[in-house]
Amino acid sequence: MKKIVIAIDGYSSCGKSTLAKGLAAALGYAYIDSGAMYRAVTLYLLRHNIDPADEEAVAGALPYITIHFENIGLGNHTFLNGEDVEADIRQMDVSENVSQVSIISAVRRAMVKQQKALGRRKSIVMDGRDIGTVVFPEAELKIFLTADPEVRAQRRYKELTEKGVEVAIEAVRRNLAERDRIDSTRMDSPLRQAEDAIVLDNTNLTPDEQLEKAIALAEAAILQPAD
Ligand code: DC
């Protein structure tokens, strides 16, 4: 059967990772969370007291940062220099600084290079902001996920509080709005819908319903004859 690359892009907390994980499991594909890579870089900077706005200092830190992923139980964990940081990269301090870090071109170049390498053998689902536009412009299937901002904030709040993170809903709303603003207005590879992406609005869909739609799109893309 033809192996394809699936790119899923969209705003923060749209349910991209839930969809990407489900799709990868259904197809027997690898799942890569590209946002986790930007989060791991951000965590490194915060731990080493490097100002995320200091482009030179950030670029200088990149050679000391190694990121890899491992499947642990049902989850795909992110490792920073050999340490499992899956929980740490989801904390609010990382969320509050990650968009600033991902503006920096040197960071983007380093991450995109690794992401392209991960997709070389195909059979991969990757989610992020620039996957269909920059990382895999040739992806056989591109999905642009959207959802109502308030629904996104409520989902994110629930996810964080269930993980034991203490946060006010207003702080979550502010963080999502600010990240959407920075991610879609930055100079280098801003978040935008690829021309050939299929828009999926999941405001009124359950995770199972959105997965069903995405599986149908993936099956159609797999059956499509290669160019
Ligand atoms: O998907 P996420 O919310 O975990 O991503 C965290 C941040 O990383 C997001 O606000 C912007 C940045 N990011 C990016 O610039 N490009 C990507 N492909 C993925 C994430």
Side-chain angles (χ1 to χ4, degrees):
M1 208 185 308
K2 191 172 80 175
K3 294 171 178 171
I4 64 168
V5 170
I6 302 176
I8 301 181
D9 289 301
Y11 295 102
S12 295
S13 295
C14 258
K16 295 188 296 294
S17 64
T18 304
L19 178 61
K21 262 182 231 165
L23 200 48
L27 299 171
Y29 278 22
Y31 161 61
I32 299 291
D33 173 357
S34 71
M37 300 171 75
Y38 292 91
R39 287 175 178 273
V41 172
T42 306
L43 180 66
Y44 180 93
L45 301 174
L46 294 176
R47 283 181 173 177
H48 291 83
N49 293 316
I50 297 169
D51 179 1
D54 183 343
E55 292 199 15
E56 223 169 287
V58 172
L62 289 174
Y64 301 96
I65 301 176
T66 305
I67 299 164
H68 78 275
F69 294 99
E70 281 180 29
N71 286 324
I72 297 180
L74 289 177
N76 190 5
H77 286 219
T78 311
F79 284 72
L80 167 62
N81 294 337
E83 177 193 347
D84 184 347
V85 292
E86 190 53 38
D88 299 40
I89 60 169
R90 310 290 163 193
Q91 298 291 326
M92 276 307 270
D93 55 345
V94 172
S95 297
E96 276 162 5
N97 286 284
V98 64
S99 284
Q100 182 64 47
V101 172
S102 42
I103 284 176
I104 301 172
S105 290
V107 173
R108 303 209 68 80
R109 272 198 302 276
M111 298 303 110
V112 169
K113 192 172 167 209
Q114 288 185 43
Q115 290 155 6
K116 282 181 188 279
L118 288 165
R120 214 161 278 148
R121 277 182 289 160
K122 301 229 171 187
S123 306
I124 190 172
V125 184
M126 192 177 288
D127 73 333
R129 304 294 187 290
D130 60 344
I131 310 304
T133 52
V134 175
V135 181
F136 300 128
E138 308 297 330
E140 288 85 353
L141 175 61
K142 299 177 186 177
I143 297 176
F144 192 85
L145 211 54
T146 64
D148 174 78
E150 183 56 25
V151 169
R152 291 197 271 136
Q154 296 290 347
R155 286 180 189 159
R156 180 88 183 125
Y157 175 72
K158 186 164 171 272
E159 191 182 287
L160 285 170
T161 46
E162 277 173 2
K163 278 187 193 155
V165 178
E166 274 187 39
V167 65
I169 178 78
E170 194 43 44
V172 174
R173 276 194 197 105
R174 240 184 294 119
N175 176 250
L176 291 189
E178 183 60 4
R179 281 205 284 145
D180 287 350
R181 188 187 66 74
I182 300 176
D183 295 347
S184 47
T185 58
R186 68 178 174 228
M187 296 292 286
D188 190 342
S189 29
L191 167 65
R192 63 177 179 80
Q193 185 190 323
E195 266 173 35
D196 50 351
I198 295 165
V199 179
L200 195 56
D201 184 332
N202 67 20
T203 306
N204 297 307
L205 296 179
T206 64
D208 282 349
E209 287 168 340
Q210 76 163 354
L211 179 58
E212 212 175 293
K213 285 182 190 287
I215 290 174
L217 293 172
E219 284 172 349
I222 290 167
L223 289 176
Q224 187 88 12
D227 294 330

